[in-house]
Amino acid sequence: MADPVSIALLFPELLGTYGDGGNAAVLAQRLRWRGVPAEVVQVTAGEPVPTSCDVYLMGGGEDGPQSLAVRELRASGALPRALDAGAAVFAVCAGYQILGNEFLGPDGSPHPGLGLLDCSTARGKGARRVGELVVAPDPAVGLPVLTGYENHQGVTTLGSHARPLGRVSVGRGNDAGDGSEGVVGDRVVGTYLHGPALARNPALADLILSWVAGPLDPLDDPEVDALRTERIAAAHSRHANRFWVRKAVR
Amino acid sequence: MDLPVRTRLAVAAGRVVSEVSRRAGTGQGSAVGGRVTLALDPRSLELLAAGHRVGIVSGTNGKTTTTRLLAAALATQGRVTTNSAGANLLYGLVGTFSEAAGSKATADYAALEVDEGLVPRAIEAVHPEVVALLNLSRDQLDRIGEVRMHADKWRRALDAVPDTAVVANADDPLVAWAARGITKVTWVATGQRWRSDAAACPACGSRLRWAPPGATGAAWSCTSCDFARAEPDVVLDGDELVLPGGRRIPVRLELPGWCNRANAAMAATAAAILGVETAEAVGAMAGVGAVAGRYEVVTVGGVKVRLLLAKNPAGWAETLDLIRPAPLPVVVGINARIADGRDPSWLWDVPFERLAGRLVVATGDRGRDLAVRLRYAEVEHRFVDDYREAVRTAGGGDIDLAANYTSFQDVRKALAPTNGSR
């Protein structure tokens, strides 16, 4: 039997605030259900980052843990090497910001990122961007509508080489005034979608898997379809807020 | 009680509103009445609380139960005012005292559960003799960032009242951060196992290191600065409480599980500061069964349903231990309203894989999120949109039902015998 597809979950104790570890579970199960062996490798801070994994995942986290994570990743140099060897990277929120050229640290000064995506994150004005996020994917990506939940202070500006993951239908996304959300590079995706993103968007999960495991048979996901329909409708409902508030008070 | 006329009028008005609210069936009423009282007299809470020996309890998990246990201990010594319905915000506290002020005999003690965010304000207003700080972990993801912020606010509030005694959970780094440097602190080693919200040092942001459990539990320390777990004064060792000097008190509760023994350890330590001898305090706690519906057993269509509350990953870690073994069916209710946090992504931080080998019925506003989580956990499950129907679907003679905060409230209403029982 072939070597299992290995999925590295980077620093779950630092970058796992929003259940993003679920992305690893989703990727591994979707391979196993198709008869492809898969393993999840948890890499905690202080351990060496392996360069031989097939998919690398990072999630959301607070400012302090985020700068700890980027320190470790810059020191190790493992991610660029793994990408050169054909691996894929999927990063959410704080993890997404780390992949860019720079982001704002907890002290308010710019921190260098890993430079794997051509984007930079500054601290947005006003309240955190919190709520349901619906994204119409870039047609070139070839995905159905993306659904998730965003929760970030950062505002991400794309550089001239960056291609957005899609355009925001509901929510804020990159929030840099161009209506974009996320960035797609060569086998690298950064996004503000939590949920976790790959649980709510199995087509995105399968796209990432196909980059490292080749073409995959389709899977039936009736429960995920029902959840997607519910969340997308809730996000679009202009009265969503009032409805939920009324229910909560009662 | 000698209250100023303005306060007495404000209290009377609040109680009328509470009563109307209660009769209209819109809730317990004390919060809405408290709001009226406070609007009419902004000093009412301070004046109403005066004359009580007050203990307050805060933290992410276990507030309601610990407060109930503290009240049981204090009741051995005198009359106790307590917000037993979990009305733990400002209006709820005012309402709690207002309603108690109606009875002829004034209470000697107050045992108050206080929302994490309200601790500074409560300390100012009710002048507690003791503050028990249980734990701090992620609860509402759409309000993240507040966990560490609460610890900072607690710290500043406690610094301002050096005469107030603090009972702090030594095993929770964020609680330790809040209570560090406080002179009148009693450290309790509760044996807390949840660590996922304290990977980074609250003082400097470096990694925390956890030593294997020793005689006084698992010590932790920062890998970079000098912040570390304090030497505990009181230790929960299995089902015994070890007091300073080594005296051991057996902790035998009707409430199940380690988490409730930890709650009892914190409550007993707080009660000791308010003058209750520890063996007597723990003895009084033994008789506490259901607390605001938690652990209550209701019968629905011949099915005995035990109700469990689990609001967040830390709480679920304990609840999964309490759920009876497979093949006993389980119903799980998940909402994501304001009081729950709007983002249920935390479902992926709960090891629901442990429920395998039985039917799990997913329900609540966000039951579909749970159904997807259970699919990936490979747990046999069904989504049912109605609580009574969910219980019927689970079937069997005996089931466990676990729900998060507002779902739990809905469950209690939906499964109440008066609600379409057949």
Side-chain angles (χ1 to χ4, degrees):
Chain A
M1 200 153 74
D3 279 347
V5 173
S6 69
I7 297 151
L9 184 58
L10 295 182
F11 315 137
E13 79 283 20
L14 302 175
L15 299 177
T17 303
Y18 301 97
D20 303 299
N23 288 325
V26 168
L27 290 178
Q29 287 293 41
R30 297 185 74 77
L31 287 170
R32 288 181 197 131
W33 287 339
R34 289 155 160 139
V36 180
E39 62 176 7
V40 174
V41 180
Q42 299 219 6
V43 184
T44 55
E47 285 181 65
V49 181
T51 55
S52 58
C53 294
D54 298 292
V55 182
Y56 291 80
L57 299 173
M58 287 189 282
E62 297 179 65
D63 294 353
Q66 182 187 24
S67 38
L68 195 59
V70 80
R71 250 190 344 248
E72 302 246 345
L73 283 174
R74 282 177 62 83
S76 99
L79 269 193
R81 282 207 298 279
L83 268 172
D84 281 346
V89 179
F90 178 71
V92 177
C93 205
Y96 165 35
Q97 296 172 357
I98 284 175
L99 293 183
N101 298 319
E102 67 172 37
F103 65 94
L104 235 51
D107 53 354
S109 67
H111 273 44
L114 299 176
L116 298 174
L117 291 173
D118 184 19
C119 60
S120 306
T121 301
R123 200 174 173 78
K125 290 203 180 77
R128 287 177 75 84
R129 285 93 181 123
V130 181
E132 290 284 339
L133 177 57
V134 181
V135 178
D138 188 299
V141 188
L143 290 174
V145 171
L146 300 170
T147 160
Y149 197 91
E150 64 181 328
N151 185 346
H152 55 104
Q153 189 72 47
V155 164
T156 301
T157 306
L158 306 193
S160 52
H161 302 292
R163 196 172 85 223
L165 177 61
R167 300 194 58 77
V168 173
S169 308
V170 179
R172 308 286 284 272
N174 290 334
D175 208 26
D178 57 359
S180 71
E181 153 52 24
V183 177
V184 189
D186 190 13
R187 296 194 310 279
V188 185
V189 177
T191 179
Y192 280 114
L193 291 161
H194 294 288
L198 301 184
R200 284 223 215 162
N201 302 285
L204 177 58
D206 288 350
L207 175 68
I208 292 163
L209 290 175
S210 71
W211 290 339
V212 299
L216 296 163
D217 299 332
L219 284 179
D220 267 348
D221 293 297
E223 284 173 317
V224 183
D225 293 342
L227 173 63
R228 287 171 54 80
T229 306
E230 176 198 290
R231 296 330 304 156
I232 292 167
H236 278 288
S237 162
R238 289 178 55 201
H239 300 291
N241 267 335
R242 258 191 257 162
F243 170 72
W244 290 111
V245 168
R246 205 169 58 224
K247 262 193 119 166
V249 169
R250 195 181 63 195
Chain B
M1 197 190 306
D2 288 330
L3 289 170
V5 174
R6 179 178 178 180
T7 311
R8 271 187 279 163
L9 288 173
V11 166
R15 290 177 49 188
V16 167
V17 172
S18 291
E19 191 53 35
V20 169
S21 150
R22 201 170 285 124
R23 289 200 189 172
T26 54
Q28 289 280 354
S30 62
V32 60
R35 182 173 189 161
V36 169
T37 302
L38 202 65
L40 294 173
D41 180 2
R43 286 193 64 215
S44 52
L45 178 56
E46 185 161 15
L47 293 167
L48 284 163
H52 295 78
R53 300 185 66 186
V54 182
I56 74 177
V57 175
S58 195
T60 307
N61 288 315
K63 288 187 288 286
T64 303
T65 302
T66 305
T67 303
R68 179 76 189 79
L69 294 172
L70 175 60
L74 296 174
T76 62
Q77 309 297 310
R79 295 174 58 90
V80 185
T81 294
T82 185
N83 47 351
S84 52
N88 64 15
L89 292 165
L90 192 58
Y91 304 142
L93 296 182
V94 177
T96 297
F97 279 111
S98 293
E99 281 166 36
S103 61
K104 288 211 171 68
T106 308
D108 311 291
Y109 297 93
L112 302 175
E113 125 174 36
V114 173
D115 179 81
E116 299 92 289
L118 191 74
V119 168
R121 179 83 192 268
I123 287 175
E124 266 174 34
V126 306
H127 305 292
E129 262 179 74
V130 57
V131 176
L133 303 176
L134 306 179
N135 49 62
L136 269 178
S137 71
R138 281 173 302 150
D139 190 23
Q140 302 175 20
L141 288 178
D142 52 337
R143 292 168 56 187
I144 198 73
E146 295 184 11
V147 174
R148 166 63 203 277
M149 196 188 71
H150 283 319
D152 286 336
K153 286 186 173 169
W154 286 3
R155 186 182 173 74
R156 282 197 294 275
L158 292 169
D159 270 339
V161 288
D163 289 338
T164 299
V166 176
V167 175
N169 177 3
D171 293 344
D172 188 310
L174 283 160
V175 166
W177 172 245
R180 182 162 78 153
I182 302 289
T183 36
K184 287 179 72 172
V185 62
T186 306
W187 295 104
V188 181
T190 60
Q192 178 173 317
R193 290 169 288 184
W194 182 256
R195 297 171 184 179
S196 300
D197 293 304
C201 172
C204 76
S206 301
R207 262 181 316 122
L208 288 181
R209 176 183 22 209
W210 295 76
T216 65
W220 50 265
S221 59
C222 180
T223 50
S224 163
C225 73
D226 63 356
F227 187 49
R229 178 177 182 256
E231 194 52 40
D233 303 294
V234 175
V235 176
L236 177 64
D237 180 13
D239 53 8
E240 287 185 324
L241 201 55
V242 187
L243 302 184
R247 190 172 156 221
R248 299 177 88 91
I249 312 268
V251 182
R252 300 216 174 82
L253 303 176
E254 192 175 320
L255 297 174
W258 161 82
C259 57
N260 285 314
R261 289 196 296 278
N263 291 335
M266 295 293 290
T269 308
I273 289 165
L274 292 169
V276 190
E277 198 277 319
T278 302
E280 191 179 6
V282 173
M285 294 173 190
V288 175
V291 178
R294 298 148 174 83
Y295 315 111
E296 193 181 330
V297 177
V298 296
T299 304
V300 181
V303 183
K304 282 166 77 181
V305 187
R306 186 176 63 148
L307 307 183
L308 302 165
L309 174 76
K311 299 184 289 187
N312 45 49
W316 266 103
E318 302 311 325
T319 299
L320 287 172
D321 281 348
L322 296 180
I323 287 176
R324 288 168 287 177
L328 182 114
V330 173
V331 175
V332 178
I334 300 296
N335 282 357
R337 301 181 195 164
I338 291 172
D340 305 303
R342 290 287 184 76
D343 177 8
S345 307
W346 58 266
L347 290 172
W348 292 80
D349 291 327
V350 178
F352 283 113
E353 287 78 2
R354 288 177 56 191
L355 292 178
R358 66 175 103 215
L359 173 64
V360 177
V361 181
T363 185
D365 297 347
R366 300 302 291 271
R368 291 188 190 282
D369 290 77
L370 178 65
V372 169
R373 172 71 187 95
L374 294 170
R375 164 166 154 78
Y376 279 100
E378 298 189 315
V379 173
E380 184 196 348
H381 64 278
R382 233 155 282 160
F383 167 73
V384 176
D385 191 19
D386 170 273
Y387 291 115
R388 295 184 79 88
E389 192 56 42
V391 167
R392 251 191 301 278
T393 305
D398 238 332
I399 65 170
D400 281 340
L401 182 154
N404 70 340
Y405 190 66
T406 67
S407 175
F408 190 83
Q409 294 173 328
D410 287 356
V411 163
R412 291 185 72 197
K413 274 182 226 147
L415 301 191
T418 49
N419 195 319
S421 164
R422 58 186 83 169

